Amino acid sequence: MTAEDKLACADVIVSWGLYRDQRRWPDLLSTFHPDGEIAVSWFRGPFAEFVEHCKRGGVSKHLIMAPLVQVNGERATAETSVVILVRQTIETLAVDMTSRGRFLDRLERRDGRWKVLERAALYEQDRLDPVVPSEAFARMMREAPVAAYPEPYRYMALRLASAGRPLAEPVHYDGAPHTQALVARYRQWLTGSETR
């Protein structure tokens, strides 16, 4: 493990956010291996397919912190705090969603280049705010069925539901059994002790 490897992995992760938000699709594709996969609140599957969906979607902003990278030979894992900002119209009202979470990544070095092999977004806390405060927004939120969703991503879920988009279950958050299994699988993969 070298500082150069850690820096190369961190550069890929931070670059992903810039390319995604600036809609630089070829550059975005270059951050993942061709067989890479991603799981976020609204999509789960091949990364190339995710990018195609992003091309048709709206604008968002990903604030990406410094990743915590662990390297073992040609494999690495990373945990990165993120804040996702999205503006959307719900019931004719302009709203801003803020979601805090982490990216959990598996990266591999192939042909001398580090790229992401798998990413899972883990959600921690979110909120929905009106761009212009109004009684209409307050009424909408009083009537919204937010309690039907887990607290770490309930407003993200409400935002997606209002746009007619289903959640890509299971959605990851701390304490969920499927998230604990994911973390264990990443740990085993890094050490080469995964079940083959």
Side-chain angles (χ1 to χ4, degrees):
M1 176 177 63
T2 68
E4 185 178 347
D5 290 326
K6 286 190 170 187
L7 183 59
C9 290
D11 184 66
V12 169
I13 293 165
V14 172
S15 296
W16 183 96
L18 181 67
Y19 299 153
R20 167 71 179 86
D21 295 343
Q22 295 298 311
R23 306 175 73 83
R24 292 166 55 176
W25 308 125
D27 291 329
L28 182 61
L29 283 167
S30 75
T31 63
F32 268 63
H33 288 297
D35 54 338
E37 297 196 348
I38 189 168
V40 296
S41 63
W42 58 272
F43 180 88
R44 174 179 292 269
F47 184 67
E49 189 177 327
F50 166 85
V51 173
E52 289 304 312
H53 282 277
C54 290
K55 291 178 181 179
R56 301 190 295 269
V59 177
S60 60
K61 186 73 174 178
H62 295 75
L63 307 179
I64 298 183
M65 315 307 166
L68 177 61
V69 180
Q70 298 182 47
V71 179
N72 183 16
E74 305 300 301
R75 295 180 173 187
T77 57
E79 190 168 2
T80 309
S81 291
V82 298
V83 178
I84 305 168
L85 307 173
V86 180
R87 178 162 290 182
Q88 179 178 325
T89 299
I90 301 178
E91 296 182 16
T92 73
L93 300 173
V95 299
D96 284 334
M97 188 213 65
T98 304
S99 176
R100 296 194 337 228
R102 304 193 303 282
F103 286 155
L104 305 181
D105 290 331
R106 291 193 300 125
L107 302 97
E108 274 189 349
R109 179 168 48 196
R110 298 179 186 173
D111 300 322
R113 289 194 62 194
W114 287 100
K115 294 186 180 184
V116 180
L117 182 60
E118 180 184 3
R119 166 168 292 171
L122 189 156
Y123 298 93
E124 298 173 344
Q125 186 182 73
D126 62 0
R127 61 181 292 149
L128 200 65
D129 297 292
V131 174
V132 179
S134 66
E135 175 55 33
F137 176 82
R139 183 173 58 253
M140 178 184 74
M141 294 308 296
R142 284 195 300 269
E143 298 171 356
V146 294
Y149 306 111
E151 185 175 355
Y153 61 90
R154 62 178 32 157
Y155 298 105
M156 172 86 75
L158 176 65
R159 181 186 78 78
L160 291 171
S162 71
R165 299 166 65 187
L167 289 166
E169 300 282 7
V171 178
H172 291 292
Y173 59 96
D174 285 317
H178 56 272
T179 303
Q180 293 172 335
L182 173 83
V183 171
R185 178 168 63 81
Y186 273 41
R187 188 179 302 118
Q188 291 168 354
W189 176 85
L190 180 64
T191 61
S193 61
E194 76 273 20
T195 303
R196 299 191 184 276

